[in-house]
């Protein structure tokens, strides 16, 4: 599990659509699908319920998203804090 996988999960969870998430992330749709599949395999649970081309966050995904949002938010805050302290724009 890496930061890119977590960001990918976060965007797919927000859109509940792989292709839209891929467009926002500016990567190919199969890459997003593989990233989500690897993340789910690593966690040992499915994060989304799938129905054709549509994906819906399930109970495990919703719980994981809360933690991912918090963790990535902290990292974003830390990045901004360091940039401010260093006088970077």
């Amino acid at each position: 599990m890496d930061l890119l996988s977590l960001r990918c999960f976060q965007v797919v969870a927000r859109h509940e659509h792989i292709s839209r998430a891929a467009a926002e992330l500016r990567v190919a749709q199969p890459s997003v699908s593989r990233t989500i599949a690897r993340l789910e395999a690593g966690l040992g649970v499915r994060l989304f319920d799938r129905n054709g081309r549509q994906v819906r966050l399930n109970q495990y995904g919703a719980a994981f998203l809360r933690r991912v949002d918090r963790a990535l938010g902290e990292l974003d805050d830390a990045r901004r804090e360091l940039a401010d302290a260093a006088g970077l724009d």
Side-chain angles (χ1 to χ4, degrees), residues 65-87:
L65 180 61
R66 285 190 295 276
R67 299 293 183 145
V68 167
D69 284 344
R70 217 174 321 164
L72 293 179
E74 284 292 321
L75 290 172
D76 289 342
D77 290 347
R79 194 174 302 125
R80 279 190 296 277
E81 187 176 310
L82 289 173
D84 289 346

Side-chain angles (χ1 to χ4, degrees), residues 36-74:
I36 296 300
R38 280 193 305 270
L39 184 59
E40 289 176 325
L43 292 169
V45 295
R46 295 211 117 189
L47 302 169
F48 297 94
D49 293 327
R50 290 153 175 85
N51 184 12
R53 296 183 67 160
Q54 187 176 15
V55 294
R56 287 239 189 270
L57 207 56
N58 64 24
Q59 65 182 9
Y60 304 113
F64 190 59
L65 180 61
R66 285 190 295 276
R67 299 293 183 145
V68 167
D69 284 344
R70 217 174 321 164
L72 293 179
E74 284 292 321

Side-chain angles (χ1 to χ4, degrees), residues 15-40:
H15 287 289
E16 291 192 327
H17 197 279
I18 300 287
S19 296
R20 287 187 204 125
E24 180 177 324
L25 294 164
R26 296 182 182 171
V27 297
Q29 179 273 327
S31 176
V32 172
S33 294
R34 283 191 301 272
T35 298
I36 296 300
R38 280 193 305 270
L39 184 59
E40 289 176 325

